[in-house]
Amino acid sequence: TFSGDARFDGVIFSGEAWFDRATFSGDTRFDWAIFSGDAGFGKTTFSGDARFEGATYSHYAGFGGATFSSYAAFRGATFWGEAGFRQSAFKGFTNFADCKFDGEADFSAIRGETAFSLHGVGFSEVPDFNQAHFEEAPRLDALRIAPRGLKSQISTILEKGFKTDRDLTTATRWSELKRLAVQRHDHQH
């Protein structure tokens, strides 16, 4: 438990960094931190502002089941490995603008209770928003998805149909993104 503000701005974690089930009672800052190994914030509670702006995650970054009670800022963060936010609760304004996700991004079953921005985010794989719930439609403008091997995946599906679980999973993920765009009345995207 961190009872006051906690600042880790610019810190380099050379190995694994595990904060699972931690409680941050004040404002928390990991701006421009570098996580060289796995980083775990599973089921962590952030009562004040939680800032991870410009942070770099070289491997797994796990925030599954975390609770963000106030402002959550990941603006400009880079996730080179898997990023897991499954079942996290975002109660205040949440900002993922301009992030880069080079691995799998799991936002399944998250709950966004206020504004949620994915403006300018780049994904190298189709992100998972299955069963995500937003009180207010998330901002998706300028979002980019450029999955590796997408052209060959589409060709295979068109020629042979859905043959693997991965094909069905990818189709489901696209459907969830469509649902979010429709919720925002952004039919073009």
PDB file of all heavy atoms in Angstrom, residues 19-22 24 40-47 50 52 62-69 72 74 84-91 108-113:
ATOM      1  N   PHE A  19       3.576  -5.130  -9.335  1.00  0.00           N
ATOM      2  CA  PHE A  19       2.809  -4.320  -8.395  1.00  0.00           C
ATOM      3  C   PHE A  19       1.410  -4.918  -8.235  1.00  0.00           C
ATOM      4  O   PHE A  19       0.477  -4.221  -7.850  1.00  0.00           O
ATOM      5  CB  PHE A  19       2.702  -2.874  -8.908  1.00  0.00           C
ATOM      6  CG  PHE A  19       4.000  -2.122  -8.884  1.00  0.00           C
ATOM      7  CD1 PHE A  19       4.841  -2.133  -9.988  1.00  0.00           C
ATOM      8  CD2 PHE A  19       4.389  -1.396  -7.764  1.00  0.00           C
ATOM      9  CE1 PHE A  19       6.043  -1.436  -9.985  1.00  0.00           C
ATOM     10  CE2 PHE A  19       5.587  -0.691  -7.745  1.00  0.00           C
ATOM     11  CZ  PHE A  19       6.416  -0.709  -8.866  1.00  0.00           C
ATOM     12  N   ASP A  20       1.252  -6.201  -8.543  1.00  0.00           N
ATOM     13  CA  ASP A  20      -0.051  -6.856  -8.456  1.00  0.00           C
ATOM     14  C   ASP A  20      -0.653  -6.671  -7.067  1.00  0.00           C
ATOM     15  O   ASP A  20       0.033  -6.806  -6.056  1.00  0.00           O
ATOM     16  CB  ASP A  20       0.070  -8.354  -8.754  1.00  0.00           C
ATOM     17  CG  ASP A  20       0.403  -8.634 -10.208  1.00  0.00           C
ATOM     18  OD1 ASP A  20       0.264  -7.727 -11.042  1.00  0.00           O
ATOM     19  OD2 ASP A  20       0.798  -9.772 -10.518  1.00  0.00           O
ATOM     20  N   ARG A  21      -1.959  -6.343  -7.068  1.00  0.00           N
ATOM     21  CA  ARG A  21      -2.754  -6.180  -5.849  1.00  0.00           C
ATOM     22  C   ARG A  21      -2.277  -5.030  -4.959  1.00  0.00           C
ATOM     23  O   ARG A  21      -2.659  -4.946  -3.796  1.00  0.00           O
ATOM     24  CB  ARG A  21      -2.834  -7.475  -5.056  1.00  0.00           C
ATOM     25  CG  ARG A  21      -3.490  -8.609  -5.829  1.00  0.00           C
ATOM     26  CD  ARG A  21      -3.609  -9.869  -4.981  1.00  0.00           C
ATOM     27  NE  ARG A  21      -4.029 -10.998  -5.765  1.00  0.00           N
ATOM     28  CZ  ARG A  21      -5.286 -11.309  -6.051  1.00  0.00           C
ATOM     29  NH1 ARG A  21      -6.259 -10.544  -5.627  1.00  0.00           N
ATOM     30  NH2 ARG A  21      -5.574 -12.369  -6.774  1.00  0.00           N
ATOM     31  N   ALA A  22      -1.463  -4.152  -5.489  1.00  0.00           N
ATOM     32  CA  ALA A  22      -1.036  -2.975  -4.725  1.00  0.00           C
ATOM     33  C   ALA A  22      -2.179  -1.978  -4.654  1.00  0.00           C
ATOM     34  O   ALA A  22      -3.100  -1.998  -5.476  1.00  0.00           O
ATOM     35  CB  ALA A  22       0.180  -2.321  -5.376  1.00  0.00           C
ATOM     36  N   PHE A  24      -2.634   2.145  -4.493  1.00  0.00           N
ATOM     37  CA  PHE A  24      -2.038   3.470  -4.570  1.00  0.00           C
ATOM     38  C   PHE A  24      -3.118   4.458  -4.150  1.00  0.00           C
ATOM     39  O   PHE A  24      -4.064   4.714  -4.900  1.00  0.00           O
ATOM     40  CB  PHE A  24      -1.550   3.770  -5.991  1.00  0.00           C
ATOM     41  CG  PHE A  24      -0.377   2.936  -6.430  1.00  0.00           C
ATOM     42  CD1 PHE A  24      -0.569   1.747  -7.125  1.00  0.00           C
ATOM     43  CD2 PHE A  24       0.919   3.346  -6.162  1.00  0.00           C
ATOM     44  CE1 PHE A  24       0.509   0.983  -7.541  1.00  0.00           C
ATOM     45  CE2 PHE A  24       2.014   2.589  -6.576  1.00  0.00           C
ATOM     46  CZ  PHE A  24       1.810   1.403  -7.262  1.00  0.00           C
ATOM     47  N   GLY A  40       3.684  -6.093 -13.998  1.00  0.00           N
ATOM     48  CA  GLY A  40       2.390  -6.554 -13.521  1.00  0.00           C
ATOM     49  C   GLY A  40       1.724  -5.561 -12.595  1.00  0.00           C
ATOM     50  O   GLY A  40       2.302  -5.153 -11.586  1.00  0.00           O
ATOM     51  N   PHE A  41       0.490  -5.178 -12.962  1.00  0.00           N
ATOM     52  CA  PHE A  41      -0.341  -4.305 -12.147  1.00  0.00           C
ATOM     53  C   PHE A  41      -1.731  -4.928 -11.992  1.00  0.00           C
ATOM     54  O   PHE A  41      -2.718  -4.235 -11.849  1.00  0.00           O
ATOM     55  CB  PHE A  41      -0.464  -2.916 -12.800  1.00  0.00           C
ATOM     56  CG  PHE A  41       0.812  -2.129 -12.822  1.00  0.00           C
ATOM     57  CD1 PHE A  41       1.685  -2.246 -13.892  1.00  0.00           C
ATOM     58  CD2 PHE A  41       1.149  -1.281 -11.778  1.00  0.00           C
ATOM     59  CE1 PHE A  41       2.875  -1.517 -13.924  1.00  0.00           C
ATOM     60  CE2 PHE A  41       2.323  -0.548 -11.800  1.00  0.00           C
ATOM     61  CZ  PHE A  41       3.189  -0.668 -12.884  1.00  0.00           C
ATOM     62  N   GLY A  42      -1.798  -6.243 -12.036  1.00  0.00           N
ATOM     63  CA  GLY A  42      -3.073  -6.947 -11.956  1.00  0.00           C
ATOM     64  C   GLY A  42      -3.781  -6.699 -10.641  1.00  0.00           C
ATOM     65  O   GLY A  42      -3.167  -6.743  -9.576  1.00  0.00           O
ATOM     66  N   LYS A  43      -5.069  -6.418 -10.723  1.00  0.00           N
ATOM     67  CA  LYS A  43      -5.930  -6.175  -9.562  1.00  0.00           C
ATOM     68  C   LYS A  43      -5.384  -5.063  -8.660  1.00  0.00           C
ATOM     69  O   LYS A  43      -5.629  -5.059  -7.458  1.00  0.00           O
ATOM     70  CB  LYS A  43      -6.175  -7.456  -8.792  1.00  0.00           C
ATOM     71  CG  LYS A  43      -6.929  -8.481  -9.625  1.00  0.00           C
ATOM     72  CD  LYS A  43      -7.350  -9.683  -8.845  1.00  0.00           C
ATOM     73  CE  LYS A  43      -8.126 -10.619  -9.773  1.00  0.00           C
ATOM     74  NZ  LYS A  43      -8.501 -11.838  -9.097  1.00  0.00           N
ATOM     75  N   THR A  44      -4.659  -4.133  -9.241  1.00  0.00           N
ATOM     76  CA  THR A  44      -4.138  -2.994  -8.502  1.00  0.00           C
ATOM     77  C   THR A  44      -5.214  -1.917  -8.443  1.00  0.00           C
ATOM     78  O   THR A  44      -5.988  -1.742  -9.379  1.00  0.00           O
ATOM     79  CB  THR A  44      -2.864  -2.453  -9.181  1.00  0.00           C
ATOM     80  OG1 THR A  44      -1.869  -3.480  -9.115  1.00  0.00           O
ATOM     81  CG2 THR A  44      -2.338  -1.223  -8.508  1.00  0.00           C
ATOM     82  N   THR A  45      -5.252  -1.196  -7.334  1.00  0.00           N
ATOM     83  CA  THR A  45      -6.203  -0.109  -7.157  1.00  0.00           C
ATOM     84  C   THR A  45      -5.467   1.217  -7.198  1.00  0.00           C
ATOM     85  O   THR A  45      -4.521   1.435  -6.440  1.00  0.00           O
ATOM     86  CB  THR A  45      -6.948  -0.253  -5.813  1.00  0.00           C
ATOM     87  OG1 THR A  45      -7.630  -1.505  -5.795  1.00  0.00           O
ATOM     88  CG2 THR A  45      -7.945   0.877  -5.609  1.00  0.00           C
ATOM     89  N   PHE A  46      -5.911   2.084  -8.113  1.00  0.00           N
ATOM     90  CA  PHE A  46      -5.364   3.432  -8.238  1.00  0.00           C
ATOM     91  C   PHE A  46      -6.470   4.397  -7.805  1.00  0.00           C
ATOM     92  O   PHE A  46      -7.420   4.627  -8.553  1.00  0.00           O
ATOM     93  CB  PHE A  46      -4.944   3.721  -9.680  1.00  0.00           C
ATOM     94  CG  PHE A  46      -3.859   2.828 -10.201  1.00  0.00           C
ATOM     95  CD1 PHE A  46      -4.163   1.672 -10.918  1.00  0.00           C
ATOM     96  CD2 PHE A  46      -2.513   3.127  -9.977  1.00  0.00           C
ATOM     97  CE1 PHE A  46      -3.171   0.850 -11.407  1.00  0.00           C
ATOM     98  CE2 PHE A  46      -1.513   2.304 -10.459  1.00  0.00           C
ATOM     99  CZ  PHE A  46      -1.829   1.169 -11.173  1.00  0.00           C
ATOM    100  N   SER A  47      -6.375   4.949  -6.595  1.00  0.00           N
ATOM    101  CA  SER A  47      -7.415   5.841  -6.077  1.00  0.00           C
ATOM    102  C   SER A  47      -7.298   7.254  -6.632  1.00  0.00           C
ATOM    103  O   SER A  47      -8.298   7.921  -6.855  1.00  0.00           O
ATOM    104  CB  SER A  47      -7.381   5.878  -4.551  1.00  0.00           C
ATOM    105  OG  SER A  47      -7.654   4.590  -4.042  1.00  0.00           O
ATOM    106  N   ALA A  50      -3.620   8.140 -12.185  1.00  0.00           N
ATOM    107  CA  ALA A  50      -2.623   7.117 -12.531  1.00  0.00           C
ATOM    108  C   ALA A  50      -2.052   7.496 -13.891  1.00  0.00           C
ATOM    109  O   ALA A  50      -2.752   7.460 -14.895  1.00  0.00           O
ATOM    110  CB  ALA A  50      -3.256   5.735 -12.576  1.00  0.00           C
ATOM    111  N   PHE A  52       0.887   6.965 -16.825  1.00  0.00           N
ATOM    112  CA  PHE A  52       1.895   6.102 -17.435  1.00  0.00           C
ATOM    113  C   PHE A  52       2.286   6.683 -18.798  1.00  0.00           C
ATOM    114  O   PHE A  52       2.632   5.960 -19.713  1.00  0.00           O
ATOM    115  CB  PHE A  52       1.334   4.689 -17.616  1.00  0.00           C
ATOM    116  CG  PHE A  52       1.009   3.975 -16.332  1.00  0.00           C
ATOM    117  CD1 PHE A  52      -0.218   4.157 -15.707  1.00  0.00           C
ATOM    118  CD2 PHE A  52       1.923   3.126 -15.744  1.00  0.00           C
ATOM    119  CE1 PHE A  52      -0.527   3.499 -14.534  1.00  0.00           C
ATOM    120  CE2 PHE A  52       1.633   2.463 -14.561  1.00  0.00           C
ATOM    121  CZ  PHE A  52       0.400   2.649 -13.956  1.00  0.00           C
ATOM    122  N   GLY A  62       0.707  -6.290 -17.702  1.00  0.00           N
ATOM    123  CA  GLY A  62      -0.572  -6.796 -17.224  1.00  0.00           C
ATOM    124  C   GLY A  62      -1.254  -5.859 -16.249  1.00  0.00           C
ATOM    125  O   GLY A  62      -0.722  -5.567 -15.182  1.00  0.00           O
ATOM    126  N   PHE A  63      -2.442  -5.379 -16.635  1.00  0.00           N
ATOM    127  CA  PHE A  63      -3.257  -4.511 -15.801  1.00  0.00           C
ATOM    128  C   PHE A  63      -4.625  -5.150 -15.560  1.00  0.00           C
ATOM    129  O   PHE A  63      -5.570  -4.474 -15.179  1.00  0.00           O
ATOM    130  CB  PHE A  63      -3.454  -3.146 -16.480  1.00  0.00           C
ATOM    131  CG  PHE A  63      -2.220  -2.298 -16.538  1.00  0.00           C
ATOM    132  CD1 PHE A  63      -1.305  -2.444 -17.577  1.00  0.00           C
ATOM    133  CD2 PHE A  63      -1.955  -1.350 -15.561  1.00  0.00           C
ATOM    134  CE1 PHE A  63      -0.166  -1.654 -17.650  1.00  0.00           C
ATOM    135  CE2 PHE A  63      -0.821  -0.553 -15.613  1.00  0.00           C
ATOM    136  CZ  PHE A  63       0.078  -0.707 -16.665  1.00  0.00           C
ATOM    137  N   GLY A  64      -4.755  -6.444 -15.795  1.00  0.00           N
ATOM    138  CA  GLY A  64      -6.037  -7.126 -15.681  1.00  0.00           C
ATOM    139  C   GLY A  64      -6.666  -6.970 -14.314  1.00  0.00           C
ATOM    140  O   GLY A  64      -6.021  -7.176 -13.294  1.00  0.00           O
ATOM    141  N   GLY A  65      -7.925  -6.579 -14.308  1.00  0.00           N
ATOM    142  CA  GLY A  65      -8.663  -6.443 -13.059  1.00  0.00           C
ATOM    143  C   GLY A  65      -8.300  -5.209 -12.248  1.00  0.00           C
ATOM    144  O   GLY A  65      -8.764  -5.059 -11.118  1.00  0.00           O
ATOM    145  N   ALA A  66      -7.507  -4.311 -12.804  1.00  0.00           N
ATOM    146  CA  ALA A  66      -7.126  -3.090 -12.080  1.00  0.00           C
ATOM    147  C   ALA A  66      -8.309  -2.135 -12.024  1.00  0.00           C
ATOM    148  O   ALA A  66      -9.201  -2.155 -12.874  1.00  0.00           O
ATOM    149  CB  ALA A  66      -5.940  -2.421 -12.761  1.00  0.00           C
ATOM    150  N   THR A  67      -8.303  -1.292 -11.009  1.00  0.00           N
ATOM    151  CA  THR A  67      -9.327  -0.262 -10.864  1.00  0.00           C
ATOM    152  C   THR A  67      -8.655   1.100 -10.906  1.00  0.00           C
ATOM    153  O   THR A  67      -7.763   1.383 -10.106  1.00  0.00           O
ATOM    154  CB  THR A  67     -10.093  -0.419  -9.538  1.00  0.00           C
ATOM    155  OG1 THR A  67     -10.719  -1.706  -9.521  1.00  0.00           O
ATOM    156  CG2 THR A  67     -11.147   0.666  -9.374  1.00  0.00           C
ATOM    157  N   PHE A  68      -9.089   1.916 -11.866  1.00  0.00           N
ATOM    158  CA  PHE A  68      -8.590   3.274 -12.019  1.00  0.00           C
ATOM    159  C   PHE A  68      -9.735   4.200 -11.604  1.00  0.00           C
ATOM    160  O   PHE A  68     -10.686   4.389 -12.360  1.00  0.00           O
ATOM    161  CB  PHE A  68      -8.171   3.540 -13.469  1.00  0.00           C
ATOM    162  CG  PHE A  68      -7.040   2.670 -13.948  1.00  0.00           C
ATOM    163  CD1 PHE A  68      -7.292   1.429 -14.512  1.00  0.00           C
ATOM    164  CD2 PHE A  68      -5.726   3.097 -13.826  1.00  0.00           C
ATOM    165  CE1 PHE A  68      -6.250   0.628 -14.953  1.00  0.00           C
ATOM    166  CE2 PHE A  68      -4.677   2.300 -14.264  1.00  0.00           C
ATOM    167  CZ  PHE A  68      -4.934   1.062 -14.827  1.00  0.00           C
ATOM    168  N   SER A  69      -9.650   4.760 -10.402  1.00  0.00           N
ATOM    169  CA  SER A  69     -10.755   5.542  -9.852  1.00  0.00           C
ATOM    170  C   SER A  69     -10.797   6.974 -10.350  1.00  0.00           C
ATOM    171  O   SER A  69     -11.837   7.627 -10.255  1.00  0.00           O
ATOM    172  CB  SER A  69     -10.674   5.558  -8.320  1.00  0.00           C
ATOM    173  OG  SER A  69     -10.786   4.244  -7.830  1.00  0.00           O
ATOM    174  N   ALA A  72      -6.814   8.242 -15.759  1.00  0.00           N
ATOM    175  CA  ALA A  72      -5.850   7.206 -16.162  1.00  0.00           C
ATOM    176  C   ALA A  72      -5.215   7.652 -17.471  1.00  0.00           C
ATOM    177  O   ALA A  72      -5.900   7.773 -18.484  1.00  0.00           O
ATOM    178  CB  ALA A  72      -6.536   5.862 -16.328  1.00  0.00           C
ATOM    179  N   PHE A  74      -2.298   6.988 -20.297  1.00  0.00           N
ATOM    180  CA  PHE A  74      -1.287   6.143 -20.938  1.00  0.00           C
ATOM    181  C   PHE A  74      -0.790   6.806 -22.226  1.00  0.00           C
ATOM    182  O   PHE A  74      -0.102   6.185 -23.012  1.00  0.00           O
ATOM    183  CB  PHE A  74      -1.881   4.772 -21.272  1.00  0.00           C
ATOM    184  CG  PHE A  74      -2.152   3.914 -20.072  1.00  0.00           C
ATOM    185  CD1 PHE A  74      -3.351   4.004 -19.389  1.00  0.00           C
ATOM    186  CD2 PHE A  74      -1.195   3.031 -19.611  1.00  0.00           C
ATOM    187  CE1 PHE A  74      -3.599   3.219 -18.282  1.00  0.00           C
ATOM    188  CE2 PHE A  74      -1.429   2.233 -18.503  1.00  0.00           C
ATOM    189  CZ  PHE A  74      -2.634   2.334 -17.835  1.00  0.00           C
ATOM    190  N   GLY A  84      -2.373  -6.510 -21.349  1.00  0.00           N
ATOM    191  CA  GLY A  84      -3.622  -7.058 -20.845  1.00  0.00           C
ATOM    192  C   GLY A  84      -4.325  -6.113 -19.883  1.00  0.00           C
ATOM    193  O   GLY A  84      -3.783  -5.791 -18.830  1.00  0.00           O
ATOM    194  N   PHE A  85      -5.532  -5.686 -20.258  1.00  0.00           N
ATOM    195  CA  PHE A  85      -6.357  -4.822 -19.412  1.00  0.00           C
ATOM    196  C   PHE A  85      -7.692  -5.494 -19.094  1.00  0.00           C
ATOM    197  O   PHE A  85      -8.604  -4.852 -18.600  1.00  0.00           O
ATOM    198  CB  PHE A  85      -6.618  -3.481 -20.116  1.00  0.00           C
ATOM    199  CG  PHE A  85      -5.390  -2.631 -20.247  1.00  0.00           C
ATOM    200  CD1 PHE A  85      -4.577  -2.728 -21.366  1.00  0.00           C
ATOM    201  CD2 PHE A  85      -5.033  -1.749 -19.243  1.00  0.00           C
ATOM    202  CE1 PHE A  85      -3.440  -1.959 -21.493  1.00  0.00           C
ATOM    203  CE2 PHE A  85      -3.894  -0.964 -19.360  1.00  0.00           C
ATOM    204  CZ  PHE A  85      -3.096  -1.068 -20.490  1.00  0.00           C
ATOM    205  N   ARG A  86      -7.791  -6.776 -19.350  1.00  0.00           N
ATOM    206  CA  ARG A  86      -9.034  -7.533 -19.188  1.00  0.00           C
ATOM    207  C   ARG A  86      -9.670  -7.254 -17.825  1.00  0.00           C
ATOM    208  O   ARG A  86      -9.014  -7.279 -16.803  1.00  0.00           O
ATOM    209  CB  ARG A  86      -8.738  -9.018 -19.320  1.00  0.00           C
ATOM    210  CG  ARG A  86      -9.886  -9.936 -18.937  1.00  0.00           C
ATOM    211  CD  ARG A  86      -9.485 -11.356 -19.131  1.00  0.00           C
ATOM    212  NE  ARG A  86      -9.591 -11.578 -20.560  1.00  0.00           N
ATOM    213  CZ  ARG A  86     -10.309 -12.548 -21.103  1.00  0.00           C
ATOM    214  NH1 ARG A  86     -10.906 -13.430 -20.351  1.00  0.00           N
ATOM    215  NH2 ARG A  86     -10.400 -12.654 -22.399  1.00  0.00           N
ATOM    216  N   GLN A  87     -10.962  -6.954 -17.847  1.00  0.00           N
ATOM    217  CA  GLN A  87     -11.802  -6.750 -16.667  1.00  0.00           C
ATOM    218  C   GLN A  87     -11.356  -5.574 -15.792  1.00  0.00           C
ATOM    219  O   GLN A  87     -11.663  -5.532 -14.612  1.00  0.00           O
ATOM    220  CB  GLN A  87     -11.903  -8.025 -15.826  1.00  0.00           C
ATOM    221  CG  GLN A  87     -12.602  -9.142 -16.551  1.00  0.00           C
ATOM    222  CD  GLN A  87     -12.731 -10.393 -15.713  1.00  0.00           C
ATOM    223  OE1 GLN A  87     -11.888 -10.685 -14.874  1.00  0.00           O
ATOM    224  NE2 GLN A  87     -13.790 -11.148 -15.960  1.00  0.00           N
ATOM    225  N   SER A  88     -10.657  -4.622 -16.364  1.00  0.00           N
ATOM    226  CA  SER A  88     -10.285  -3.431 -15.608  1.00  0.00           C
ATOM    227  C   SER A  88     -11.444  -2.441 -15.604  1.00  0.00           C
ATOM    228  O   SER A  88     -12.264  -2.414 -16.518  1.00  0.00           O
ATOM    229  CB  SER A  88      -9.047  -2.767 -16.217  1.00  0.00           C
ATOM    230  OG  SER A  88      -7.913  -3.580 -16.011  1.00  0.00           O
ATOM    231  N   ALA A  89     -11.493  -1.622 -14.556  1.00  0.00           N
ATOM    232  CA  ALA A  89     -12.525  -0.590 -14.430  1.00  0.00           C
ATOM    233  C   ALA A  89     -11.858   0.780 -14.524  1.00  0.00           C
ATOM    234  O   ALA A  89     -10.905   1.066 -13.794  1.00  0.00           O
ATOM    235  CB  ALA A  89     -13.248  -0.730 -13.099  1.00  0.00           C
ATOM    236  N   PHE A  90     -12.368   1.591 -15.447  1.00  0.00           N
ATOM    237  CA  PHE A  90     -11.864   2.946 -15.650  1.00  0.00           C
ATOM    238  C   PHE A  90     -12.987   3.902 -15.264  1.00  0.00           C
ATOM    239  O   PHE A  90     -13.933   4.098 -16.021  1.00  0.00           O
ATOM    240  CB  PHE A  90     -11.450   3.145 -17.110  1.00  0.00           C
ATOM    241  CG  PHE A  90     -10.317   2.256 -17.544  1.00  0.00           C
ATOM    242  CD1 PHE A  90     -10.568   1.016 -18.126  1.00  0.00           C
ATOM    243  CD2 PHE A  90      -8.996   2.641 -17.367  1.00  0.00           C
ATOM    244  CE1 PHE A  90      -9.537   0.192 -18.527  1.00  0.00           C
ATOM    245  CE2 PHE A  90      -7.954   1.826 -17.768  1.00  0.00           C
ATOM    246  CZ  PHE A  90      -8.218   0.592 -18.342  1.00  0.00           C
ATOM    247  N   LYS A  91     -12.871   4.498 -14.079  1.00  0.00           N
ATOM    248  CA  LYS A  91     -13.955   5.320 -13.544  1.00  0.00           C
ATOM    249  C   LYS A  91     -13.818   6.798 -13.891  1.00  0.00           C
ATOM    250  O   LYS A  91     -14.787   7.534 -13.823  1.00  0.00           O
ATOM    251  CB  LYS A  91     -14.041   5.128 -12.036  1.00  0.00           C
ATOM    252  CG  LYS A  91     -14.382   3.688 -11.665  1.00  0.00           C
ATOM    253  CD  LYS A  91     -14.463   3.484 -10.178  1.00  0.00           C
ATOM    254  CE  LYS A  91     -14.844   2.033  -9.886  1.00  0.00           C
ATOM    255  NZ  LYS A  91     -15.089   1.811  -8.475  1.00  0.00           N
ATOM    256  N   SER A 108     -10.785  -6.816 -23.218  1.00  0.00           N
ATOM    257  CA  SER A 108     -12.059  -7.519 -23.074  1.00  0.00           C
ATOM    258  C   SER A 108     -12.649  -7.297 -21.687  1.00  0.00           C
ATOM    259  O   SER A 108     -11.927  -7.245 -20.689  1.00  0.00           O
ATOM    260  CB  SER A 108     -11.895  -9.015 -23.359  1.00  0.00           C
ATOM    261  OG  SER A 108     -10.998  -9.603 -22.454  1.00  0.00           O
ATOM    262  N   ALA A 109     -13.955  -7.153 -21.663  1.00  0.00           N
ATOM    263  CA  ALA A 109     -14.739  -7.011 -20.432  1.00  0.00           C
ATOM    264  C   ALA A 109     -14.300  -5.833 -19.568  1.00  0.00           C
ATOM    265  O   ALA A 109     -14.525  -5.836 -18.358  1.00  0.00           O
ATOM    266  CB  ALA A 109     -14.724  -8.313 -19.626  1.00  0.00           C
ATOM    267  N   ILE A 110     -13.700  -4.799 -20.169  1.00  0.00           N
ATOM    268  CA  ILE A 110     -13.376  -3.608 -19.379  1.00  0.00           C
ATOM    269  C   ILE A 110     -14.641  -2.789 -19.206  1.00  0.00           C
ATOM    270  O   ILE A 110     -15.626  -2.964 -19.918  1.00  0.00           O
ATOM    271  CB  ILE A 110     -12.258  -2.741 -20.015  1.00  0.00           C
ATOM    272  CG1 ILE A 110     -12.717  -2.122 -21.340  1.00  0.00           C
ATOM    273  CG2 ILE A 110     -10.966  -3.523 -20.151  1.00  0.00           C
ATOM    274  CD1 ILE A 110     -11.782  -1.033 -21.855  1.00  0.00           C
ATOM    275  N   ARG A 111     -14.584  -1.871 -18.263  1.00  0.00           N
ATOM    276  CA  ARG A 111     -15.711  -0.966 -18.031  1.00  0.00           C
ATOM    277  C   ARG A 111     -15.173   0.460 -18.033  1.00  0.00           C
ATOM    278  O   ARG A 111     -14.329   0.804 -17.213  1.00  0.00           O
ATOM    279  CB  ARG A 111     -16.373  -1.284 -16.711  1.00  0.00           C
ATOM    280  CG  ARG A 111     -17.559  -0.417 -16.422  1.00  0.00           C
ATOM    281  CD  ARG A 111     -18.362  -0.941 -15.231  1.00  0.00           C
ATOM    282  NE  ARG A 111     -19.588  -0.202 -15.113  1.00  0.00           N
ATOM    283  CZ  ARG A 111     -20.693  -0.427 -15.800  1.00  0.00           C
ATOM    284  NH1 ARG A 111     -20.723  -1.405 -16.669  1.00  0.00           N
ATOM    285  NH2 ARG A 111     -21.769   0.307 -15.638  1.00  0.00           N
ATOM    286  N   GLY A 112     -15.649   1.258 -18.975  1.00  0.00           N
ATOM    287  CA  GLY A 112     -15.296   2.670 -19.049  1.00  0.00           C
ATOM    288  C   GLY A 112     -16.487   3.500 -18.622  1.00  0.00           C
ATOM    289  O   GLY A 112     -17.515   3.486 -19.285  1.00  0.00           O
ATOM    290  N   GLU A 113     -16.358   4.226 -17.511  1.00  0.00           N
ATOM    291  CA  GLU A 113     -17.504   4.945 -16.965  1.00  0.00           C
ATOM    292  C   GLU A 113     -17.593   6.393 -17.431  1.00  0.00           C
ATOM    293  O   GLU A 113     -18.620   7.031 -17.247  1.00  0.00           O
ATOM    294  CB  GLU A 113     -17.490   4.857 -15.438  1.00  0.00           C
ATOM    295  CG  GLU A 113     -17.684   3.429 -14.959  1.00  0.00           C
ATOM    296  CD  GLU A 113     -17.775   3.296 -13.451  1.00  0.00           C
ATOM    297  OE1 GLU A 113     -17.912   4.322 -12.748  1.00  0.00           O
ATOM    298  OE2 GLU A 113     -17.713   2.152 -12.972  1.00  0.00           O
TER     299      GLU A 113
END
